[in-house]
Amino acid sequence: MTHPLPIQFQETDLDAIAEFAGRLALVAAPDEVTARSPAARRINKLTKGALNRFLASDAWEKVKEGASVDMAWPAGLAAEALQVVKADRRADLATARKAGAAIGKSVGKVGVLVLAGNMQRAADLSLGLALRAYDFEVHQTAEPTLRGPVSMMVKDPEAVALAAKPMAAVAEGVFFTRDLVNEPANVLTTDDFAARLAAMQELGLEVEILEEEALEELGMGALLGVGRGSESPSKVVVMQWNGGGDEAPFALVGKGVVFDTGGISLKPAGGMEDMTMDMGGAGVVSGVMRTLALRRAKANVVGLVGLVENMPDGRAQRPGDVVKSMKGDTIEVINTDAEGRLVLADVLWYAQERFKPCGMINLATLTGAIIVALGHENTGVFSNDDGLCDAFLKACKSEGEGAWRLPMGDAYDAKLKSRVADMMNSCGRDGGSITAAQFLKRFVKDETPWCHLDIAGTALLKTESTLAPKGATGWGVMALDRLIRDKFEG
């Protein structure tokens, strides 16, 4: 997998600044018109006042907080560039990470030396740097982008390193998710996906793979119906992290459709190549479980992912078919492209029957309708429990990951009524994201606090974002890790 750049923290060494041959990144306050920190004063002296002239210029005033400007090949320095980054020493979390991302985007093969001085959120700056330095180049035949070492000069390197350690685990989880979502479907088959998760046993996770025979015995007719037309066998992978006491685990459930053609209800050709990301929910669950194991979280969490491929074939399920879920409810398949909810229905029920979780969150790239409603800035959130939902939204806000709660209700649920079965899997375009959530709610027990996250608009972007290049974002790993830390670790 792709690993984040290692970052070393050290005391400020003024002599080393002049001799460093890579990129220098200097963090300067928005109101800084003359060099303040010892590092900045040394740079200003070496550049014969060039830094002060820049800080006093209109160009610096126009730079937004968290953004930066390059001074290429500055006279008096061995560095190939001096990157001046605008961020106050008391910058908030979002600004600190944005500033780090500005540096991470520009890391070259010679490396970068970050002069963060006494910045209070230097660890968050390092996380932003690590996340934005991500590249997915495994399938390119050209020489991969080389990124040199990263060092940060800070006031208290031991304290910053201690604060950054759990953040490094989060970055690993985000990268794991991004790699999974970015992989093409001919590589990330259900077998390959399961094997990558099984390899996390070396981190201390308990990993169990349920094959089709076991799923048949459990009665997972809804999930198995989705994969009938594929050569790739359907699976459910269970990952357990037991870092707490005797308390019931918190459950994460992910949709893992490794490729979605729409099945017999075939999707249009244009854009179908993006359906390699239809396992995004399972990718996020996997990334969170990796993070928890790496940072040795003091909580009990179980992650379950349903892995299938939705293909058109002589054996594929048809519109009009009726399948029976593990719960025992029957479902009329109106649209074979509404397959993710069929996968989740069985895995949600299995999670509750086996683990009796204290709460449960599922994630899925479930509906195009959520993109119409919220665009690519926010994940759609649906819930049966205000306490869990509010805690999750608070975690999202803390981590800067956009999320918005949408309504649910009996009127939406009534639209699922079927003439021949207990319910339909699809009931039209109006309120499509909400009716999909109502479908899932039928497989959630009344006593189980639950949230459904529709990440269709946030899992993969066509343009770069603050913390990621274009492609997979890893949305949700940071927020869910924060939720578990705040709500279940005390």
Side-chain angles (χ1 to χ4, degrees), residues 117-248:
N118 60 355
M119 186 179 189
Q120 292 181 355
R121 290 193 175 272
D124 281 296
L125 184 143
S126 74
L127 177 60
L129 190 161
L131 291 176
R132 188 56 184 85
Y134 174 85
D135 273 315
F136 186 75
E137 300 177 323
V138 64
H139 300 296
Q140 296 179 7
T141 57
E143 288 293 322
T145 301
L146 296 177
R147 298 186 185 278
V150 178
S151 295
M152 286 182 61
M153 290 185 176
V154 293
K155 182 179 180 181
D156 189 344
E158 288 188 9
V160 175
L162 185 64
K165 187 175 180 180
M167 296 183 189
V170 171
E172 282 271 354
V174 171
F175 275 38
F176 191 59
T177 297
R178 288 178 182 176
D179 279 1
L180 290 169
V181 175
N182 280 328
E183 281 285 15
N186 62 320
V187 174
L188 192 73
T189 61
T190 58
D191 286 330
D192 182 77
F193 201 148
R196 296 188 192 204
L197 301 187
M200 290 202 291
Q201 291 177 104
E202 65 187 24
L203 302 179
L205 287 168
E206 295 179 22
V207 182
E208 180 182 358
I209 301 172
L210 304 180
E211 303 289 356
E212 286 188 346
E213 183 178 353
L215 304 182
E216 292 275 9
E217 292 178 0
L218 287 166
M220 291 193 184
L223 181 149
L224 288 168
V226 176
R228 294 293 186 204
S230 174
E231 293 295 324
S232 291
S234 298
K235 304 173 188 286
V236 170
V237 181
V238 181
M239 297 165 280
Q240 296 183 66
W241 176 254
N242 299 310
D246 297 329
E247 68 272 14

Side-chain angles (χ1 to χ4, degrees), residues 107-120:
V107 176
K109 62 182 180 180
V110 185
V112 61
L113 176 60
V114 182
L115 308 173
N118 60 355
M119 186 179 189
Q120 292 181 355

